[in-house]
Amino acid sequence: MNILVCVKRVPMTGGTIVLTPDEQAIETRHLGFTISPHEECGVEEAVRLIEAQGGESVVLSLGPSDAEEQLRDAMALGIDRAILLQTDEEFDGQATAAAILASIEADRAAGVEYDLIFFGNESADSGNYQVGIRVAHALGRPCVTGVKGITVENGRARCEQEVPGGRDVYDVALPAVVTVKEGLNLPRYPSVPGRLRAKRKPLETRSPKRTAPGVEKIRLKLPEGDTSQAEILGHGPAAAPAVVDVLRRAGLVA
Amino acid sequence: MTLVYVEHQDGTPEEVSLQALALARGLAGGGEVHALVAGASAEAASGLLGEHGVATVHVPDHEVYASHAPVALGRALTQLAARLGSHTVVAAGTERGNEVMAHAAAIADAPLAANCTEVGAGAELTVTRIRWGGSLLEEARVHGETALLTVAPHAVEASSVGAGPAAAVERFAPELSDADTAVRVVERVSTSAGGGVTLADAKFVVSCGRGVGSPEGFAPAEELAALLGGAVGCSRAVTIAGWRPHTDQVGQTGTKIAPEVYLACGISGATQHMAGCKGAKRIIAVNTDPEAPIISHAEYAVIGDLHEVIPAITAELRKAGAG
Ligand SMILES: Cc1cc2nc3c(=O)[nH]c(=O)nc-3n(C[C@H](O)[C@H](O)[C@H](O)COP(=O)(O)OP(=O)(O)OC[C@H]3O[C@@H](n4cnc5c(N)ncnc54)[C@H](O)[C@@H]3O)c2cc1C
Ligand SMILES: Nc1ncnc2c1ncn2[C@@H]1O[C@H](COP(=O)(O)O)[C@@H](O)[C@H]1O
């Protein structure tokens, strides 16, 4: 079985977001980078499935050359090889899907077919909720979204979605596209030998073509915020009566 | 003409779908607004939808719509939009709204702007949309002949146009391939463990973050939550340590909560955590660090060790006769 996982490099924003003066991006000079927790679970699931059933796992990212860091992180967890669609340009959801599709088609032409393709349910930074679904349609494959449980058996994937009061189950034939959510599994921590191995695993760089954006960013802005300081109710256990007062005023205590 | 995909429970439209309708009416100017409503009791929505300005409710006829079938819904939506000549399609920015709209956008090869909070009228469609789970906004231009938008929940208020006639109901038969009907809910597993309030609906939530130190450290929070009929939550630092299940996680990639009071203990206040508690009426932060970012997001703060503060609150409540 072959599995592809798509991950996006995003900044770890911490307690407050600061924008660049031109309002086109988040100021990232002092920030580390990561991928979405949803995508981390996609990576973990791919590694587990290949460990259990054999085959090859591949991680793909569209982004700057620095996205190699996130691809190596995924390989440190057990992914076999990586593909970087290297660009410094911004791709909207449609353009991202088109570039990932072109890469999957290039793999197919070279004899590599993916039985399962994992995406995050939504990217951490843009939240377009669409890249995986677009790729599935272009490939003519079924797509289940927001998956928090998956069993792959006899050429089919049984996928579970969390809904209020329970779980909805889907059953689709492979090859399929599955978008996943955090909670699907508890990702492992990378081991030191894993990190060392990841440095030598193959990483192929490709040049994606950017199609015209359908949703074109004009500028970013911060929501009008509650950046006022909190009223200090007190220090330590002595503050308890003041807390109970707030609870009472909120109607939680008779 | 503007087309809206309306979600409903047994014929009662979801509040977030009524919010999407309010935005759609603004976009339509004086033009008509139509709705696609699928599944059992869909017709029953026509009364309330009429009051929310819908001229016609279109109900797709096919057994697949008896359960959630996102591709078939996306297909019905695109076929209906094409037949009605609708160039703007709107839905609520729920998990399912975004899913169905992404299918429709993929089928129509049209742009989808997810989770919009505002839409600018004008020759060119401009939107403000949510990024980073609501911690950041983006102004964007939407290009193309047909545009699909979802409306961020609770960004727009639902508004009735007043009592009036129910919307007309028209049934139609979408053309569906086997692939369109292959993705559908085949089984519902019930997991509601009798009685307890859910994190999403609780009026009081007490969460602990990394500062709680261990899984056992949650016992006092459990006790306090039980006393007030509330729920216990946590931060991602806690779930990735394996101290609590992910279903307890509050945040961008966890549960969104909207309690009367959110007591956040030993949580620093990362933007991704705060994205999950924007709906809280009041936040009380308990933290040893007076400089923690959460202090500038909370209404109230207690500077101190959560291991001492939480039991003291419980004791004070007992003294006051609660529980
Ligand atoms: C894309 C993305 C999505 C994410 N989604 C989520 C999400 O859904 N939910 C979420 O929570 N996080 C999420 N995160 C992670 C988030 O960025 C933070 O890493 C996380 O919220 C930190 O958890 P914390 O506040 O418990 O830990 P820390 O940041 O380590 O903070 C611990 C706090 O506890 C205080 N403290 C320590 N000891 C005590 C004590 N004894 N008593 C009182 N206070 C004490 C410290 O002063 C500190 O403020 C996400 C991150 C990314 C990149
Ligand atoms: N630049 C990218 N590189 C690789 N995968 C991406 C990229 N952008 C989005 N994706 C994938 O598509 C998913 C959904 O993204 P979105 O449609 O932007 O919410 C993400 O969780 C990723 O799995």
Side-chain angles (χ1 to χ4, degrees), chain B residues 104-130:
Chain B
I107 291 165
D109 194 23
L112 164 64
N115 289 313
C116 299
T117 57
E118 272 177 69
V119 178
E124 239 186 351
L125 188 61
T126 57
V127 300
T128 301
R129 57 178 299 273
I130 276 176

Side-chain angles (χ1 to χ4, degrees), chain A residues 6-8 39 61-62 96 119-120 122-123 127-131:
Chain A
C6 297
V7 303
K8 183 177 189 184
E39 296 156 19
S61 190
L62 174 127
T96 303
F119 288 87
E122 82 275 6
S123 55
N128 297 312
Y129 289 82
Q130 59 189 255
V131 170

Side-chain angles (χ1 to χ4, degrees), chain A residues 145 167-168 216 218 226 233, chain B residues 99 139 143 188-189 296 301:
Chain A
T145 63
R167 293 195 152 211
D168 273 350
E216 185 189 8
I218 302 168
D226 41 8
L233 296 174
Chain B
E99 178 191 35
E139 283 175 14
H143 300 284
R188 160 70 58 93
V189 182
S296 55

